[in-house]
Amino acid sequence: MLKFSLSTKVMLIYGTVFLVIITLTFGLSYTGTVGKLGSDLNDTNLALLKQVDQKIEVAFRQTEKDLLTLMNELEFVYFMYDSYMDDGQRYSNFYALNTKLRNFINTNPQFSSIFVYSAESGHLLTDKAYMKDAPLVHNWLGDYLDMPVYFKWLTTHQISDGNSNKDVITLVRSYPTISSPGYRKGMVAVNINEKVIYDMVNAVYEDRKIGHMFIIDSDGNIVTHDDKTQIYRNIKELPHLKSVLVKKGSGTFTGELGGVRQSIFYRDSNYTGWKLISIVPESQIYEPLRVTRNLLIALAVSMIILALIVLFYVSRWTFKPLHQLIGKISGTYHFTPTQERPDVGLTYLESVFDQLLLDREHLQQHVRDSKPVLKWRIMMDMLIGYRTDYLAVLHHLEFVGVHLFPDRYLVCTAEISKEGMDLRAQDETLYTYVFCNVAEELINTENAGMAIDVGGGRAAVILSFAEGDAEQNHMRALAIMELILDMMKKQFDLVVTVGVGRGYREMKDIPKSYDESQKALHYKIVFGGHAVISIEDLQPLDSQDYYRLLRMADRITDALKLTDSIKLKAYVQETFHEAMDRNLSPNLIRQLSFDLIVKSVQSVSSTGIDLHESMSQLESMYELINRSGNLKEMEMSVFQFLEEMASKIKAKRTLRGSNDTIERILIYIGEHFQENDLSLDKLAQEFHLSPTYISKQFKEYTESNFIDYLIGIRMDASQKHLACMNMKVNEIAEAVGYQNARSFIRTFKKYTGMTPLEYRTQLQMEITNESNLECD
């Protein structure tokens, strides 16, 4: 009985399995090749016809859409109804309509000419000529006044444009667009050069050198053909085309043409009713089958020969290095002192390891190339609510190079367009990419955020803030978006409209802000293009009590930052006095007291005060306020807490030195805040510093962001201007650096709690009251 070593057994098993696999693979491949490849070839040819049909349908539907848009112009109404007050208006309207027709043709290169016929006057107007009471040879449009449909695509025919006859395909449209025979005032026709349609076909079949592809209408007239001598020919009597005309949908059959066996592929166009036909010699279409079969046979023979060589000429010692490697891995193989370690076969293992390293490099390159797609996917998941945990998404954001703060989020949606023109899909993608880059650059100067293209010329932007409450961050977002809009307009002449949602604390609420930004963007039709539309603009608060108390709270935080104890005490007293006059309930006054403390703690976060220590006192303050027996005790508790914070701020500031650079920047801002393009980038150019450095130094020295400081300067100046009763609101907006009066009004309202007109009215009332007191 023969005994085989492990290597021999492995060799025999390997050879047997190898031969079985080769035999089965060849048999299955050969059996399935002819039918499968034949079906695939038929499907490929039908798919090509479908692609041609789709291209033509898209082009024709766009032509119909463009024509409908043009027909909505007022000049069409005057021309079709022949309704003019005098000849001057008639010729003026003819000139305006002719100009629009020429522009229509010039902006659509695929159109050859356009004809407009008025049944009321008998006049015919084209993009090149005007014919009054046009003769029948030119007035061919009148024949279609009684056509039973609203529009019709005419097969290839010749049309004279005044200079020469051209082979065209025509879209005929009734006017008015939806009108029945007998009620129509005229007809409009757009002519497309037959070569345009042929080029669409040729673009799909550009690499095919055999057979013919052509299009016929339902009557057998050729629409377009790769053999131009066939145009205008009616071929419905040809035997194989008779079969095509009676068949519906798409399919294929074979027939003999000119003594040659041909495969005929056909497809019905649901839109035009035309037949798309491709005729290919059967000997040519099945040539790939024969080539594939021969290659399979050659490959099978080669593999069998290789298997036999491996089986009979590779000896057992070839597997020994592998055997040893397996033994080392399993821990069962040990070298003896007298046994030499062979090197045979290690070259192969080395090549395997080299290939693994090469594959690793390719994988890393693939990962780098996929970062933009991964960034898009992550942000889309955040926008639709699939990713709601900051810690879970943090390492993904770091991988794609995006930084977001762990809380305080706000979403904006932007729509990019160009004034006076429709952007192509490629241009929309390019301009949206530019917008995203500009937005991320400006946002990440002082805050954090990311922007992506969501398609259709729209971009979504997520902003994240390190500090501030929702109202402050909302105001910052509005200011940032205004800067982005100005930059996109000046540098790229783009019209950008932005919808801004509300700010939220947690990542799980990002979808809410995203929905709100989209809702705000829907109001573009109301506010117009190139504007920042806030969700707050759509839902204005109507409680004047709330506005006044909120404005007083802002004054308290401002006094706290200035460490002005006198004003701080006066504002706290005035707030509680106002709350009492408004007959607020005890529970609401307690809530107001606590809100004043929380808002003050948040507002001074930039001063360097330890917020953890301040926040830890909130629980005890909450209990103290709840235990207060009267309004005076609540007022005293709030004031003592704020006074203690003011003393901490004052002590902190005494440790801080001066900064000459920021002092000069503050002077520059005070002298140039009226300029609407004042930004960190402009300051960086003026003082030869980087925007990031200025932002950091500015915040350390002033305890405020640049945007917050600039808004404060502008609002203080606007309040002084409002005291001058002869200045209009739009004049004041321009005087303090706002190009858009609506943006100024919105910012002023968020800053003061009132609109500019309400503020001016209040000033007048205060002046009147003071005058009455002096008289008394």
Side-chain angles (χ1 to χ4, degrees):
M1 184 175 180
L2 294 176
K3 294 182 179 180
F4 300 98
S5 65
L6 178 61
S7 299
T8 303
K9 290 180 180 178
V10 170
M11 190 67 182
L12 290 175
I13 293 172
Y14 171 81
T16 302
V17 171
F18 192 48
L19 289 174
V20 170
I21 290 175
I22 292 174
T23 304
L24 290 176
T25 301
F26 173 77
L28 293 174
S29 301
Y30 186 83
T31 302
T33 295
V34 175
K36 185 64 172 61
L37 285 182
S39 176
D40 289 345
L41 289 171
N42 289 341
D43 291 343
T44 299
N45 280 275
L46 291 174
L48 291 174
L49 289 179
K50 181 179 179 180
Q51 186 176 351
V52 172
D53 184 22
Q54 290 175 343
K55 289 185 69 173
I56 293 175
E57 182 175 345
V58 169
F60 281 9
R61 287 189 183 277
Q62 185 61 43
T63 300
E64 184 182 355
K65 179 181 177 182
D66 293 342
L67 183 58
L68 288 173
T69 301
L70 180 63
M71 290 171 65
N72 287 330
E73 300 292 340
L74 183 61
E75 288 82 359
F76 267 83
V77 178
Y78 289 137
F79 180 83
M80 291 297 187
Y81 286 86
D82 195 29
S83 175
Y84 306 100
M85 291 186 296
D86 52 35
D87 290 338
Q89 185 187 13
R90 179 192 305 273
Y91 291 114
S92 175
N93 187 72
F94 284 176
Y95 175 79
L97 180 56
N98 182 257
T99 301
K100 291 189 176 182
L101 294 181
R102 288 199 306 271
N103 292 336
F104 180 76
I105 295 300
N106 293 334
T107 55
N108 296 275
Q110 71 271 24
F111 298 156
S112 173
S113 58
I114 182 169
F115 287 66
V116 182
Y117 167 66
S118 170
E120 293 291 319
S121 63
H123 299 166
L124 183 67
L125 184 64
T126 74
D127 57 303
K128 296 180 180 178
Y130 162 66
M131 287 170 273
K132 183 176 182 181
D133 298 323
L136 293 178
V137 66
H138 296 296
N139 190 10
W140 53 275
L141 274 176
D143 298 335
Y144 295 95
L145 278 171
D146 295 327
M147 66 181 184
V149 292
Y150 301 135
F151 74 95
K152 183 177 183 181
W153 283 96
L154 306 182
T155 188
T156 305
H157 61 116
Q158 285 196 340
I159 289 292
S160 173
D161 60 357
N163 297 325
S164 61
N165 292 332
K166 292 185 177 181
D167 298 329
V168 296
I169 295 164
T170 302
L171 168 62
V172 178
R173 184 86 206 191
S174 64
Y175 188 92
T177 54
I178 301 178
S179 57
S180 302
Y183 296 93
R184 293 169 179 164
K185 302 300 179 182
M187 302 295 292
V188 182
V190 173
N191 301 309
I192 301 177
N193 199 311
E194 180 271 337
K195 186 178 183 301
V196 173
I197 308 302
Y198 176 73
D199 289 341
M200 293 182 187
V201 176
N202 194 45
V204 177
Y205 286 91
E206 58 181 353
D207 294 328
R208 195 172 81 173
K209 307 299 182 183
I210 57 173
H212 296 282
M213 165 45 192
F214 55 95
I215 301 173
I216 62 174
D217 63 13
S218 58
D219 295 326
N221 298 311
I222 292 180
V223 177
T224 185
H225 200 291
D226 50 7
D227 182 3
K228 298 304 179 185
T229 62
Q230 300 292 326
I231 296 178
Y232 299 113
R233 181 184 174 190
N234 188 294
I235 55 175
K236 66 180 181 180
E237 295 302 323
L238 294 178
H240 58 286
L241 286 181
K242 282 185 177 180
S243 301
V244 171
L245 288 173
V246 298
K247 294 179 182 295
K248 301 297 182 182
S250 62
T252 181
F253 62 96
T254 58
E256 190 167 316
L257 304 175
V260 179
R261 194 73 175 171
Q262 306 275 0
S263 292
I264 302 169
F265 303 89
Y266 64 91
R267 177 182 177 84
D268 281 336
S269 174
N270 294 329
Y271 179 71
T272 61
W274 296 345
K275 293 275 189 179
L276 288 76
I277 302 171
S278 175
I279 300 177
V280 185
E282 202 170 55
S283 60
Q284 297 292 333
I285 197 172
Y286 289 108
E287 181 65 22
L289 296 179
R290 290 191 291 272
V291 173
T292 303
R293 181 194 62 191
N294 295 336
L295 287 175
L296 282 174
I297 294 174
L299 180 61
V301 172
S302 300
M303 294 181 68
I304 291 174
I305 294 174
L306 180 61
L308 292 175
I309 293 174
V310 172
L311 183 63
F312 291 102
Y313 290 95
V314 178
S315 60
R316 185 178 60 182
W317 59 267
T318 306
F319 286 86
K320 258 184 182 178
L322 181 60
H323 192 192
Q324 294 172 353
L325 181 61
I326 295 173
K328 287 185 177 182
I329 294 174
S330 62
T332 59
Y333 183 84
H334 301 282
F335 286 101
T336 61
T338 58
Q339 186 177 8
E340 295 183 359
R341 184 171 181 169
D343 292 328
V344 178
L346 294 180
T347 303
Y348 171 74
L349 290 177
E350 183 180 358
S351 65
V352 170
F353 292 141
D354 290 340
Q355 186 62 41
L356 288 174
L357 293 175
L358 183 61
D359 292 341
R360 181 174 178 272
E361 293 178 359
H362 290 165
L363 180 60
Q364 289 177 338
Q365 181 64 38
H366 177 71
V367 171
R368 286 193 295 269
D369 294 340
S370 64
K371 279 187 178 182
V373 178
L374 182 58
K375 173 186 173 183
W376 184 91
R377 183 70 267 170
I378 292 172
M379 184 165 169
M380 285 301 299
D381 288 347
M382 294 168 64
L383 293 174
I384 61 180
Y386 285 164
R387 296 178 186 262
T388 58
D389 187 352
Y390 176 79
L391 295 178
V393 78
L394 178 60
H395 67 284
H396 295 294
L397 295 174
E398 292 175 347
F399 177 76
V400 298
V402 172
H403 170 64
L404 290 179
F405 294 112
D407 50 18
R408 299 181 183 89
Y409 302 99
L410 185 145
V411 181
C412 302
T413 302
E415 186 175 277
I416 296 92
S417 60
K418 204 168 183 68
E419 194 169 1
M421 63 179 294
D422 294 328
L423 296 178
R424 298 176 301 174
Q426 307 95 299
D427 295 334
E428 283 183 347
T429 302
L430 176 61
Y431 290 142
T432 306
Y433 175 78
V434 171
F435 172 84
C436 291
N437 286 342
V438 171
E440 289 186 349
E441 181 179 354
L442 288 178
I443 291 169
N444 290 307
T445 302
E446 285 193 295
N447 303 292
M450 59 193 296
I452 61 168
D453 182 356
V454 294
R458 286 192 175 189
V461 184
I462 295 180
L463 293 89
S464 178
F465 303 92
E467 59 186 14
D469 57 18
E471 286 294 327
Q472 289 175 320
N473 294 332
H474 194 83
M475 190 179 299
R476 291 170 184 166
L478 294 175
I480 292 171
M481 289 299 123
E482 290 285 353
L483 286 175
I484 295 173
L485 260 64
D486 291 341
M487 183 173 294
M488 296 296 291
K489 183 67 176 177
K490 291 178 180 178
Q491 296 189 11
F492 307 101
D493 195 27
L494 292 176
V495 176
V496 181
T497 308
V498 179
V500 182
R502 294 185 179 89
Y504 291 93
R505 190 79 180 184
E506 298 180 3
M507 182 176 286
K508 66 182 180 64
D509 293 323
I510 286 179
K512 295 181 182 177
S513 186
Y514 182 49
D515 291 340
E516 290 169 352
S517 69
Q518 291 180 310
K519 180 180 178 181
L521 191 59
H522 291 163
Y523 281 74
K524 174 183 177 182
I525 192 172
V526 177
F527 294 95
H530 200 67
V532 179
I533 306 171
S534 169
I535 189 66
E536 300 291 348
D537 296 338
L538 314 182
Q539 300 176 350
L541 297 174
D542 55 2
S543 174
Q544 294 301 322
D545 295 341
Y546 176 80
Y547 277 132
R548 183 162 181 80
L549 291 175
L550 183 62
R551 182 171 62 86
M552 291 181 175
D554 292 337
R555 293 167 61 184
I556 290 173
T557 57
D558 291 340
L560 179 62
K561 288 182 179 179
L562 296 173
T563 64
D564 189 340
S565 297
I566 297 176
K567 286 186 177 180
L568 185 63
K569 185 174 183 179
Y571 292 154
V572 171
Q573 291 176 345
E574 186 179 352
T575 301
F576 278 87
H577 182 73
E578 183 74 11
M580 184 176 64
D581 289 344
R582 299 294 176 181
N583 296 321
L584 296 184
S585 66
N587 289 335
L588 193 55
I589 294 177
R590 288 189 178 94
Q591 183 63 42
L592 172 64
S593 303
F594 192 72
D595 287 345
L596 285 175
I597 293 174
V598 173
K599 189 174 182 67
S600 300
V601 170
Q602 292 175 343
S603 67
V604 299
S605 60
S606 60
T607 62
I609 299 300
D610 187 2
L611 286 183
H612 295 289
E613 180 181 351
S614 301
M615 296 298 287
S616 64
Q617 301 177 22
L618 293 182
E619 184 174 353
S620 60
M621 285 300 303
Y622 187 79
E623 294 177 358
L624 182 61
I625 291 172
N626 283 332
R627 289 199 305 267
S628 299
N630 54 57
L631 190 65
K632 198 65 179 176
E633 290 181 6
M634 288 188 208
E635 177 183 331
M636 185 59 64
S637 299
V638 172
F639 174 71
Q640 288 176 351
F641 180 86
L642 297 179
E643 190 177 39
E644 182 181 352
M645 288 193 66
S647 63
K648 291 181 180 180
I649 295 173
K650 187 180 295 184
K652 189 77 175 179
R653 287 174 177 168
T654 58
L655 301 177
R656 183 181 299 136
S658 62
N659 190 321
D660 294 336
T661 301
I662 299 302
E663 285 290 345
R664 288 190 292 112
I665 290 176
L666 292 177
I667 294 173
Y668 183 88
I669 293 174
E671 295 173 350
H672 296 82
F673 70 90
Q674 304 91 341
E675 299 173 3
N676 60 73
D677 60 346
L678 183 60
S679 64
L680 280 174
D681 288 337
K682 187 169 183 179
L683 291 176
Q685 295 175 3
E686 183 69 24
F687 293 91
H688 307 291
L689 298 169
S690 71
T692 304
Y693 177 82
I694 293 178
S695 175
K696 181 179 179 182
Q697 294 297 316
F698 193 95
K699 186 171 183 180
E700 289 180 357
Y701 188 76
T702 65
E703 303 171 353
S704 173
N705 285 329
F706 166 75
I707 289 179
D708 294 342
Y709 183 85
L710 180 59
I711 291 173
I713 290 290
R714 287 174 170 172
M715 292 301 102
D716 290 341
S718 64
Q719 290 174 5
K720 294 178 182 178
H721 286 305
L722 284 168
C724 180
M725 301 301 175
N726 60 353
M727 287 189 70
K728 297 180 180 178
V729 172
N730 59 344
E731 294 175 347
I732 295 174
E734 185 176 358
V736 297
Y738 285 87
Q739 283 185 319
N740 190 311
R742 188 170 57 81
S743 298
F744 163 72
I745 294 171
R746 178 173 55 207
T747 304
F748 188 93
K749 187 173 183 179
K750 285 187 175 294
Y751 188 83
T752 64
M754 295 180 288
T755 65
L757 293 178
E758 291 171 349
Y759 184 88
R760 175 172 279 173
T761 301
Q762 180 175 320
L763 284 178
Q764 291 175 335
M765 291 176 61
E766 291 176 356
I767 293 172
T768 302
N769 292 335
E770 289 176 0
S771 300
N772 293 336
L773 289 174
E774 290 176 0
C775 292
D776 294 340

